[in-house]
């Protein structure tokens, strides 16, 4: 999959492949030309990805090849054991969770999971959790608290599922309960936005001591398309909506809504998943080392203070 703004880079990469094939097939020395073209591609990549618009970063966050929650979990843990069900309705496949080992330490992972193909997307409901998904997440958080295991959440959702049946089963109540209970968790909680972070669907597992965003992700109360459809009655203004929403990682960090940005490989996380996973793992370990020094009561106090200080109040 090649995004529109990536096409000039893709064209040069195709020429590079053709040149290498020609050099190999005809036994011609084109090393100077190949090196020159590689340098040109690298320079174009840097120029392109250092000057992305907000809408282009939204597009990158949705890239079809972008790693999802389980990709990262299996990469950074040694023996992940997935846990299922909310003990009430069913097992929501859009919300995953379980225990994994990071360098000898057991961690409870919770996250939204999307699918790669049509069948998987239907099974995972495009990463949009139902109430039972949020109740499963809360059950796992309480289990982690009971056994004194830190919690890491991986957020990647276009929003909580807006269907009638989800509302009938208490979608709003399930998310609200998660918000309340996450503030009171006695164990360290680290939240990472790895793709899309939309509305209460994201916030339902995003109340943490530390909140980080990957470089090419977004976090907002509404998607650019939905914002455009409300304000302009059309999706055609999604780019303007993205600019107005200020939803990128750098925007969130400058507004003190997150604690840090995790740099992605040039071109996006999908370009080198192993490098991206290693950076996420290092971020988790550093954050846990810092949070472990605090008593549970102090962590809770700081967590509440952190979110209560967000925004501006005019009296």
């Amino acid at each position: 999959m090649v995004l529109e703004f990536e096409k000039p880079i893709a064209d040069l990469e195709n020429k590079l492949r053709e040149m290498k094939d020609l050099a190999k097939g005809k036994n011609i020395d084109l090393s100077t030309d190949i090196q020159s073209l590689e340098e040109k591609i690298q320079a174009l990549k840097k120029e392109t990805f250092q000057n992305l618009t907000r809408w282009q970063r939204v597009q990158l966050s949705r890239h079809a090849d972008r790693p999802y929650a389980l990709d990262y979990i299996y990469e950074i843990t040694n023996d992940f054991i997935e846990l299922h069900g909310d003990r009430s309705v069913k097992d929501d496949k859009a919300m995953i969770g379980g225990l994994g080992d990071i360098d000898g330490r057991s961690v409870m992972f919770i996250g939204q999971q999307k699918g790669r193909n049509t069948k998987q997307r239907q099974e995972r409901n495009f990463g949009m959790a139902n109430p039972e998904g949020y109740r499963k997440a809360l059950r796992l958080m309480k289990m982690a608290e009971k056994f004194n295991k830190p919690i890491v959440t991986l957020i990647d959702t276009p929003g909580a599922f807006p269907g009638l049946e989800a509302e009938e089963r208490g979608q709003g109540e399930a998310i609200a309960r998660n918000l309340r209970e996450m503030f009171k968790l006695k164990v360290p909680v680290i939240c990472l936005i790895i793709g899309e972070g939309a509305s209460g669907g994201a916030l339902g597992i995003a109340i943490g001591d530390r909140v980080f965003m990957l470089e090419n992700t977004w976090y907002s109360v509404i998607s650019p398309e939905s914002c455009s459809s409300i304000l302009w009655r059309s999706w055609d203004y999604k780019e303007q909506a993205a600019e107005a929403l200020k939803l990128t990682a750098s925007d969130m960090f400058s507004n003190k809504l997150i604690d840090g940005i995790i740099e992605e490989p040039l071109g996006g996380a999908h370009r080198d998943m192993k490098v991206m996973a290693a950076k996420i793992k290092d971020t988790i370990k550093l954050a846990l080392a810092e949070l472990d020094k605090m008593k549970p009561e102090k962590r809770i106090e700081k967590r509440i203070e952190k979110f209560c200080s967000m925004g501006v109040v005019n009296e």
Side-chain angles (χ1 to χ4, degrees):
M1 176 183 174
V2 178
L3 299 172
E4 187 67 32
F5 64 87
E6 294 179 304
K7 285 183 179 178
I9 299 170
D11 291 341
L12 288 180
E13 287 177 334
N14 288 334
K15 288 181 182 179
L16 179 63
R17 278 192 291 270
E18 291 172 4
M19 194 179 291
K20 286 181 176 179
D21 290 341
L22 179 64
K24 186 177 180 181
K26 299 291 185 179
N27 197 23
I28 304 172
D29 183 12
L30 297 173
S31 56
T32 303
D33 295 320
I34 289 172
Q35 183 180 352
S36 176
L37 188 53
E38 286 175 338
E39 290 173 355
K40 187 176 181 180
I41 290 170
Q42 190 68 9
L44 182 58
K45 278 184 177 180
K46 286 183 179 179
E47 182 184 354
T48 300
F49 289 101
Q50 286 175 356
N51 298 286
L52 292 176
T53 66
R54 290 181 173 91
W55 172 245
Q56 288 169 340
R57 292 198 188 277
V58 170
Q59 289 179 295
L60 267 182
S61 76
R62 299 169 174 169
H63 198 287
D65 299 327
R66 193 172 179 87
Y68 295 147
L70 284 174
D71 297 320
Y72 288 127
I73 291 171
Y74 284 122
E75 184 65 30
I76 67 179
T77 63
N78 299 322
D79 53 355
F80 177 66
I81 301 171
E82 187 172 355
L83 302 171
H84 301 274
D86 70 334
R87 301 297 186 265
S88 179
V89 178
K90 65 175 184 179
D91 183 39
D92 189 342
K93 300 292 185 182
M95 187 76 74
I96 57 94
L99 289 165
D101 183 279
I102 294 183
D103 295 345
R105 182 171 186 178
S106 185
V107 175
M108 180 65 79
F109 287 92
I110 297 166
Q112 285 117 350
Q113 177 70 19
K114 296 177 178 176
R116 294 285 174 200
N117 53 43
T118 302
K119 184 179 179 180
Q120 289 178 359
R121 287 168 188 153
Q122 289 177 331
E123 182 184 21
R124 300 290 184 183
N125 202 29
F126 300 88
M128 296 186 293
N130 278 279
E132 50 270 25
Y134 292 98
R135 289 171 182 141
K136 173 169 75 171
L138 182 57
R139 181 178 76 82
L140 299 185
M141 291 176 199
K142 289 295 186 181
M143 180 187 295
E145 183 180 45
K146 179 179 180 180
F147 294 104
N148 196 30
K149 306 296 181 186
I151 298 166
V152 173
T153 68
L154 302 170
I155 296 124
D156 186 11
T157 180
F161 184 57
L164 178 62
E165 61 273 31
E167 298 298 336
E168 288 174 340
R169 293 197 298 274
Q171 185 72 287
E173 184 275 341
I175 293 173
R177 183 179 294 272
N178 277 25
L179 302 185
R180 185 187 70 183
E181 295 301 323
M182 287 189 79
F183 276 116
K184 301 187 291 183
L185 290 169
K186 295 178 181 178
V187 294
V189 183
I190 299 168
C191 306
L192 301 112
I193 296 157
I194 60 171
E196 300 184 88
S199 193
L203 199 59
I205 57 169
I207 304 297
D209 301 296
R210 298 290 181 271
V211 180
F212 300 99
M213 289 179 70
L214 271 61
E215 184 181 1
N216 296 308
T217 61
W218 64 274
Y219 194 19
S220 176
V221 71
I222 194 170
S223 71
E225 294 93 334
S226 297
C227 178
S228 175
S229 67
I230 291 171
L231 295 181
W232 289 282
R233 300 291 189 270
S234 168
W235 280 25
D236 296 338
Y237 298 92
K238 53 187 177 292
E239 293 183 42
Q240 292 94 316
E243 291 297 319
L245 286 168
K246 293 182 170 54
L247 39 57
T248 64
S250 57
D251 292 321
M252 294 295 107
F253 186 70
S254 65
N255 287 324
K256 300 179 180 180
L257 298 174
I258 61 171
D259 298 290
I261 300 171
I262 306 174
E263 185 180 352
E264 297 186 16
L266 189 62
H270 58 285
R271 293 283 184 172
D272 197 332
M273 195 271 280
K274 289 187 178 295
V275 168
M276 190 71 255
K279 289 184 177 182
I280 289 174
K281 183 177 180 179
D282 289 342
T283 300
I284 292 171
K285 289 173 66 178
L286 286 171
L288 285 178
E290 182 184 353
L291 293 169
D292 285 340
K293 297 174 183 177
M294 301 169 64
K295 292 183 178 180
E297 296 77 14
K298 188 65 175 179
R299 276 199 303 264
I300 293 171
E301 180 186 330
K302 288 287 186 182
R303 196 183 303 153
I304 293 171
E305 182 183 312
K306 169 190 175 69
F307 283 87
C308 287
S309 65
M310 292 179 182
V312 178
V313 178
N314 292 322
E315 299 201 10

